[in-house]
Amino acid sequence: ATGDLFRRDTDGDFWRIDNIADVIHTAEGPVFAGPIRDALGDLPAVDLAVAYGVMPAGGEHPVAVAAVTTRRGHELRLNDIAAALRPLPAYERPAIVHVVERIPVTTWFRPLTGPLRDAGIPQPGDGTQAWYRDASGERYRPLTDAAHRRLVGVAGS
């Protein structure tokens, strides 16, 4: 058993979706990291994309987070993120997308999400670009303190 998950299309063809270890079990349902990586990775500004779950302190379910690095001279735009992720069902989109300076990789150049996961949910105003999926599930907005409090489950948001 490989642990790979597949979907079968109407023609009977099988398409790899993800590895079972990479599925993020959010409060909204399962979020597959592979389609998020693929959608964001197709953007011209994105060099490398990963998706992973972060458990908020005291939370019962992880929050789906996507981290990307950008190509030199390119800037990731809010509209591009929304357009790239629009084909995914709203509940399968990451709650947060943020730009990081680098994504660690193995000696075989496989991305490592552990260090990003350990860093937790990005903080607004920490000098990085970060966006959150709004309540409609259709749009991304700049990550604010209030949105961050909601995502990590802090009262008073």
Side-chain angles (χ1 to χ4, degrees), residues 61-131:
H61 299 282
V63 172
V65 177
V68 300
T69 57
T70 55
R71 296 181 194 280
R72 180 167 288 148
H74 287 82
E75 184 178 330
L76 188 59
R77 295 188 313 240
L78 186 60
N79 292 340
D80 294 336
I81 295 167
L85 296 169
R86 191 167 293 122
L88 301 177
Y91 71 91
E92 288 186 21
R93 298 174 192 155
I96 296 177
V97 176
H98 67 120
V99 176
V100 296
E101 189 173 312
R102 77 179 198 76
I103 295 172
V105 295
T106 67
T107 54
W108 299 278
F109 300 102
R110 286 188 61 139
L112 293 169
T113 57
L116 295 167
R117 182 180 297 110
D118 294 345
I121 294 175
Q123 296 285 329
D126 68 357
T128 62
Q129 292 179 291
W131 303 272

